[in-house]
Amino acid sequence: MVFKTKKELIAAVKDFSIRVARREYMVVQSSPTIWKVKCKNMSGGGYCGWGLRACLKQNTGYFMITKYGGDHTCISNQVGIDHHNLDVNTIASSLLGIVRCDPAYEIKYVRENIKEKYGYDISYGKAWKGLKRAVEIVYGTWESSVAMLPKYMGALSKYNPGTIIEWKHLRPNEQPHKTLNFVFWAFKPCIDGFEHCRQIISVDGTHLYTKYKHKLLIAVTLDANNQVLPLAFALVDEETYESWHWFLHNIAAHVTKGRRGVCLISDRHMGISSAVQALPDFQPPRGVHRFCLRHVCSNFNSRLKITKKTYTKK
C-alpha cells in the first residue's frame, strides 16, 4: 500500500489498530523517510509477530509499506477500555467536521462519539484535549487569534466604511512587537442610528471564558420601538478605571459626539463611577449618570437578606 504522506500512513495504521485489530503498537523507528512499528502485546513468551515497515520512495514521493508481519499472533486484551494509540490527534481528526458545524460541542458528546466510532471508553481528560486540539485546528489558538485581530479589524473597516477602530497597546519595553491592551470598535450604521434613538446608553461588561480571561465591554441603546441597538464594543484585560475610562472616552468621542442630555446607565462598578466623574460628557449639564435598577435590586437582596418567619395558628 502507498500513501501520499507519512501523516496519512500513520492515520491509516492507527485506524486499523484501533477499530479492526483492536491492539496497541509501538513505534520502533521514525524518521522523515522511514516509519517502523510492531505490536506491544506478548505471545507465547515473546512479542507478537505483527509489525510493518514503510519508507519514502524517492521516485514517486509516496510512502510505501515495504514489509508487513502478517496477522497478529497475540490475544487482544483491549476490549472496552482505553486504547494507547487512540491519542489526542486521532480524536481531534475525528471531530473536525463536527467542530466546524458546532463550535460549542460538549465533552460528554465527544466521549459518546468516540465510543460509538471506535468502541473504546476514553477518559475525560483525553476527550477534553482532543476537543481542544480540534477547535485549535479549525479556528486557531488564542495566540494566533490575537495575532490575526489587526487583520480582522482591518477587514471590518474595509467592508464597513466609517467604522471606528481604536487601539491601545502596552509599552513595548524595547520589544519588536506591540502587546495588545485594549481595542475599541463601533460600526458606522450603529453610530448613525444613535442619532434617531433615545438619549440613553447602557454599558456593561461580560466575561470571555478564554485562556486569558479577557472582558468584553458593550454599549447599547433603545430605538423608538424598544429594540436594542448595539453601539460600541471593547476588548479589555480587566474591568478597571483605566479600561472603563478609555471605553467611555471613545463613546463620547465617536458615538455621542457632543450630544447633550445623554443618560448613561450602568451598575455600581467602582471603575465606571470613577471614570464618569472624569468625563464631562456624562456629567451635568451635558449628561447624567444613573444606576441600573436591576443591579440595585440584586445588590439589595443579596446584602440585606430578610429571614422569613413561619407563624403557627393557635
Side-chain angles (χ1 to χ4, degrees):
M1 298 181 66
V2 294
F3 302 87
K4 291 183 179 180
T5 63
K6 182 181 178 181
K7 185 177 179 180
E8 290 185 4
L9 164 68
I10 295 174
V13 174
K14 281 185 179 180
D15 186 73
F16 168 79
S17 299
I18 296 168
R19 292 195 303 109
V20 181
R22 301 185 70 80
R23 289 166 172 83
E24 296 180 348
Y25 66 84
M26 58 183 176
V27 179
V28 179
Q29 183 180 2
S30 180
S31 71
T33 58
I34 298 175
W35 195 64
K36 183 178 179 181
V37 296
K38 67 178 182 179
C39 180
K40 290 179 65 176
N41 293 338
M42 304 289 288
S43 174
Y47 281 106
C48 171
W50 182 90
L52 64 85
R53 182 181 186 274
C55 62
L56 178 65
K57 294 296 181 180
Q58 298 297 333
N59 58 337
T60 63
Y62 287 3
F63 267 85
M64 176 182 289
I65 296 178
T66 57
K67 185 177 180 181
Y68 184 67
D71 295 334
H72 283 270
T73 57
C74 60
I75 299 175
S76 173
N77 57 358
Q78 295 287 339
V79 181
I81 59 176
D82 201 358
H83 195 291
H84 175 75
N85 301 120
L86 185 55
D87 56 14
V88 172
N89 290 327
T90 305
I91 296 171
S93 298
S94 67
L95 297 174
L96 293 180
I98 298 173
V99 169
R100 285 192 181 97
C101 298
D102 184 10
Y105 197 64
E106 297 183 22
I107 296 177
K108 63 178 181 180
Y109 299 125
V110 173
R111 303 181 72 183
E112 294 175 2
N113 180 290
I114 297 301
K115 175 68 174 179
E116 180 180 355
K117 185 173 182 179
Y118 294 108
Y120 289 94
D121 295 311
I122 60 174
S123 64
Y124 181 93
K126 184 180 283 191
W128 183 86
K129 292 178 181 177
L131 180 59
K132 179 175 179 288
R133 182 72 55 83
V135 171
E136 290 178 349
I137 293 173
V138 176
Y139 300 102
T141 63
W142 298 118
E143 291 79 8
S144 65
S145 297
V146 172
M148 291 181 64
L149 198 55
K151 184 177 180 180
Y152 173 75
M153 290 299 177
L156 287 184
S157 180
K158 179 180 179 180
Y159 294 103
N160 298 272
T163 293
I164 302 297
I165 299 173
E166 296 285 354
W167 298 86
K168 184 174 182 181
H169 298 96
L170 295 172
R171 293 183 179 179
N173 294 327
E174 300 180 355
Q175 295 180 0
H177 303 289
K178 294 180 179 179
T179 302
L180 174 65
N181 194 11
F182 309 141
V183 58
F184 168 95
W185 70 98
F187 295 104
K188 182 64 162 57
C190 298
I191 297 174
D192 294 341
F194 180 64
E195 297 179 3
H196 309 283
C197 292
R198 301 176 184 180
Q199 298 191 110
I200 297 175
I201 296 179
S202 296
V203 295
D204 202 357
T206 184
H207 296 270
L208 298 180
Y209 296 97
T210 64
K211 180 178 179 180
Y212 297 104
K213 309 298 181 185
H214 284 77
K215 309 294 187 298
L216 180 67
L217 308 185
I218 308 170
V220 301
T221 187
L222 290 175
D223 62 14
N225 199 33
N226 287 326
Q227 302 300 307
V228 176
L229 174 68
L231 293 178
F233 307 87
L235 186 63
V236 301
D237 54 353
E238 290 290 345
E239 290 188 62
T240 61
Y241 165 79
E242 182 185 6
S243 61
W244 275 113
H245 182 275
W246 186 79
F247 180 58
L248 295 175
H249 169 76
N250 280 299
I251 291 176
H254 302 297
V255 179
T256 60
K257 294 183 287 190
R259 185 173 176 178
R260 300 179 71 88
V262 174
C263 176
L264 182 71
I265 301 177
S266 71
D267 59 19
R268 296 178 62 88
H269 192 283
M270 292 301 297
I272 301 176
S273 300
S274 300
V276 169
Q277 294 296 323
L279 294 169
D281 289 79
F282 303 112
Q283 288 291 309
R286 297 189 190 179
V288 293
H289 178 216
R290 297 292 183 263
F291 296 122
C292 172
L293 186 59
R294 177 183 175 276
H295 288 93
V296 172
C297 293
S298 176
N299 292 337
F300 182 87
N301 292 331
S302 62
R303 296 181 184 181
L304 300 175
K305 295 181 180 180
I306 301 175
T307 306
K308 295 182 179 179
K309 295 182 179 179
T310 306
Y311 296 93
T312 34
K313 209 178 211 183
K314 291 186 180 178

